[in-house]
């Protein structure tokens, strides 16, 4: 996940002259403070969550999560374009707190979990919005449909845990239209509208552990 691109200049090209124009055109470097985070990381599923919120019956929200997922990050503070992220989510682990609803989500009406057991995300690029906010773009695959997804992420920092492992944390969200990934099941309400909104908010709260350096 290329998390350390510097923010692009917002000065219009036609307004920049002399030294200012040269500075605006020059590529900006990653912060030296972030360069120390360079390395390979494994997402810790026990301390991470991937969830969703969707409007139900036009009047309330249903929240759920996927309990089983795994992924890796490669962070490159010196050259952000070399950073990557990969996440795989087990569809059968969907949990909204209602067993019948979860079974319906796993069925062919929605995710068809028996045929398409995984949902995946692979990053393709990133831009820095400010000192602690990033916009990560990649390919989200649900069932047999792959489409681009942009996630707005906040960098929560780095810490060494009680076991001596170095951790980084990120949290963020994205909003999708589920119909764009072939999730089209719905039911009309007598009072108008539909049972399940097309709009779904995805949430990400990620803790990742840095791999020990090779001996």
């Amino acid at each position: 996940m290329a998390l350390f691109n510097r923010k692009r200049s917002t000065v219009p090209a036609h307004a920049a002259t002399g030294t200012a124009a040269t500075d605006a055109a020059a590529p900006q470097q990653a912060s030296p403070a972030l360069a120390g985070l360079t390395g390979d990381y494994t997402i810790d599923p026990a301390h991470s969550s991937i969830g969703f919120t969707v409007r139900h019956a036009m009047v309330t929200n249903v929240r759920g999560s996927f309990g089983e997922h795994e992924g890796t990050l490669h962070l490159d503070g010196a050259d952000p374009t070399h950073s990557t992220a990969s996440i795989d989510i087990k569809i059968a682990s969907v949990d909204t707190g209602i067993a019948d609803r979860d079974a319906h989500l796993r069925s062919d009406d929605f995710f068809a979990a028996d045929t398409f057991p995984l949902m995946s995300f692979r990053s393709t690029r990133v831009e820095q919005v400010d000192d602690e906010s990033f916009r990560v773009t990649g390919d989200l695959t649900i069932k047999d449909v792959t489409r681009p997804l942009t996630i707005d992420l906040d960098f929560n920092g780095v810490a060494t845990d009680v076991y001596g492992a170095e951790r980084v944390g990120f949290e963020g969200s994205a909003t999708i239209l589920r119909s764009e990934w072939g999730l089209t099941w719905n039911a009309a309400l007598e009072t108008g509208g539909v049972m399940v909104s097309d709009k779904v908010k995805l949430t990400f709260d990620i803790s990742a552990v840095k791999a020990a350096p090779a001996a």
Side-chain angles (χ1 to χ4, degrees):
M1 188 177 293
L3 293 170
F4 307 127
N5 258 357
R6 304 307 295 163
K7 186 176 181 182
R8 296 178 180 177
S9 172
T10 56
V11 178
H14 67 271
T17 57
T19 302
T22 302
D23 292 344
Q28 298 186 31
Q29 300 300 313
S31 167
L34 296 176
L37 299 183
T38 296
D40 295 314
Y41 294 76
T42 300
I43 293 175
D44 177 6
H47 296 94
S48 302
S49 64
I50 298 174
F52 60 89
T53 303
V54 61
R55 183 76 73 178
H56 176 261
M58 308 295 290
V59 297
T60 191
N61 289 318
V62 168
R63 292 176 174 83
S65 63
F66 295 93
E68 296 183 44
H69 50 82
E70 61 182 17
T72 58
L73 311 177
H74 174 74
L75 306 184
D76 191 327
D79 187 350
T81 63
H82 291 166
S83 299
T84 59
S86 174
I87 302 175
D88 291 312
I89 300 163
K90 188 175 179 180
I91 295 296
S93 70
V94 65
D95 182 8
T96 65
I98 303 294
D100 287 346
R101 181 165 58 206
D102 297 342
H104 191 198
L105 288 172
R106 290 190 291 265
S107 75
D108 290 348
D109 282 345
F110 285 95
F111 287 109
D114 288 342
T115 305
F116 305 102
L118 295 178
M119 173 168 53
S120 66
F121 177 78
R122 302 289 185 267
S123 66
T124 55
R125 66 181 177 86
V126 69
E127 57 186 319
Q128 185 167 353
V129 178
D130 56 36
D131 288 345
E132 297 180 348
S133 300
F134 303 86
R135 186 161 294 131
V136 179
T137 298
D139 294 324
L140 175 67
T141 300
I142 303 175
K143 300 172 74 171
D144 57 350
V145 179
T146 300
R147 293 182 57 85
L149 173 70
T150 297
I151 306 170
D152 290 319
L153 283 176
D154 291 330
F155 175 51
N156 288 343
V158 58
T160 301
D161 66 23
V162 296
Y163 301 104
E166 184 176 345
R167 291 177 177 267
V168 292
F170 304 94
E171 63 179 318
S173 63
T175 299
I176 68 170
L177 298 178
R178 62 188 178 90
S179 59
E180 294 185 345
W181 278 267
L183 303 176
T184 57
W185 183 91
N186 227 320
L189 302 175
E190 291 184 3
T191 54
V194 292
M195 181 69 74
V196 185
S197 172
D198 191 25
K199 184 183 295 185
V200 180
K201 182 179 180 180
L202 305 176
T203 56
F204 305 86
D205 197 343
I206 301 299
S207 176
V209 179
K210 190 174 186 179

